[in-house]
Each structure stands twice: as structure tokens, then as C-alpha cells.
Amino acid sequence: MSNLSGPDEKHPFYGLMQAMDQFFQEKPVKHFFENLDEFFFFDTIPVRLEEKDEAYVLTAKLPRYEKGQIEIEVYDQYLTISARHEEAVSSLDETKKAYEKKSAFRRISRTVPLPPAVDGDQIQAKFENGLLVILMPKGKKKKLRIE
């Protein structure tokens, strides 16, 4: 019985094994597999909701984003936080006479149900040092008089 791990050129699968080794050693494929986790990793926005006396405070961590890349939409029963990041990098290699251009686009979002009795018109947001803080004032409670 033949051993596939050694360089036995007479083995019927020797050429195939050599081709596979070469395929996985080539730079584009090698770098693709190095970044495979990033390709399948779906980002989400971590949030924490706290109830205070007068308001609810929603804190979201967005460390790699800037204020202009963040959008907040308020609906009747939920709030959506979206962030987008676009990047373009160009380089010129004079020795190889090659021009390389890479671009990337990433968009993440998180939808959070609004707590009961939130005054949607008074919601405020502040973004600083990668931390988005959304202040949602509680609506006025209305007591009904029973007749």
C-alpha cells in the first residue's frame, strides 16, 4: 500500500495532491482563507437598556464608527440603529507596474422594541468615543376617573 504523505511521483494521486498544495499556497486563496472568519462573522450592535426614574437609557457600542455613519429611526413601537462604513484604498506598485484598488462596505443594524409609554417626540441621542447613548423620556401617565 502506498503512502500519500510522501513524494511518491508514481502514485496516481500525486499530480492532484501537488496541484491542491499549489492552489492553497497561492496568495489570493491563502489570504481568502485567513479572512474567512470575517466573511462569515455577522456583526451586531451590542445594546443595554436601563430604566431610570424619568427615562429609559439605551446604550449601544459602536467603536469603529463615527457620528456621521450612524442613523437612528424611531417608529411607533421600535427603534432602529444603523451604522455604515465605506472604505476605499488604492496603491501603485512601480516595480511591478501594477495598480491595486480595494473597496469595502459594511452595514450593521439593530432593532429594539420601545419600552411602554415612551414619548417618541422627546427621544435624544448623543455619540461620543464609540458609545451611543439614547435617552427616551417616559410619557406622562394618565389616570382615568371612573364614573
Side-chain angles (χ1 to χ4, degrees), residues 3-11 14 18:
N3 183 359
L4 286 177
S5 62
D8 184 8
E9 294 180 22
K10 293 180 183 177
H11 195 277
Y14 177 78
Q18 289 291 98

Side-chain angles (χ1 to χ4, degrees), residues 3-141:
N3 183 359
L4 286 177
S5 62
D8 184 8
E9 294 180 22
K10 293 180 183 177
H11 195 277
F13 293 113
Y14 177 78
L16 176 64
M17 297 301 287
Q18 289 291 98
M20 287 180 64
D21 284 344
Q22 184 180 359
F23 175 76
F24 285 107
Q25 292 303 318
E26 294 293 321
K27 288 192 181 214
V29 175
K30 187 175 181 182
H31 290 297
F32 172 75
F33 286 116
E34 287 173 0
N35 298 321
L36 196 58
D37 287 340
E38 292 177 16
F39 180 75
F40 286 108
F41 181 73
F42 298 106
D43 278 337
T44 185
I45 301 171
V47 297
R48 186 180 73 209
L49 182 65
E50 295 178 83
E51 183 176 6
K52 305 283 184 178
D53 290 336
E54 299 294 319
Y56 294 96
V57 179
L58 180 78
T59 307
K61 293 182 182 180
L62 294 159
R64 296 180 305 267
Y65 294 91
E66 296 176 15
K67 180 181 173 181
Q69 298 173 312
I70 301 168
E71 188 175 280
I72 303 167
E73 297 173 307
V74 180
Y75 300 96
D76 290 335
Q77 297 181 358
Y78 59 92
L79 175 139
T80 299
I81 303 166
S82 300
R84 61 174 167 62
H85 178 74
E86 296 177 48
E87 184 177 356
V89 178
S90 300
S91 65
L92 178 63
D93 188 347
E94 291 290 334
T95 58
K96 294 182 181 179
K97 305 269 191 233
Y99 177 75
E100 181 179 33
K101 184 175 181 180
K102 296 179 184 178
S103 60
F105 178 79
R106 170 181 257 162
R107 181 175 173 85
I108 58 173
S109 67
R110 178 83 183 255
T111 300
V112 180
L114 288 175
V118 168
D119 187 354
D121 294 331
Q122 299 298 317
I123 294 176
Q124 298 175 354
K126 181 180 178 183
F127 183 73
E128 191 175 328
N129 297 325
L131 202 60
L132 177 66
V133 178
I134 301 173
L135 184 67
M136 300 177 282
K138 293 180 179 178
K140 305 269 186 206
K141 290 183 182 177

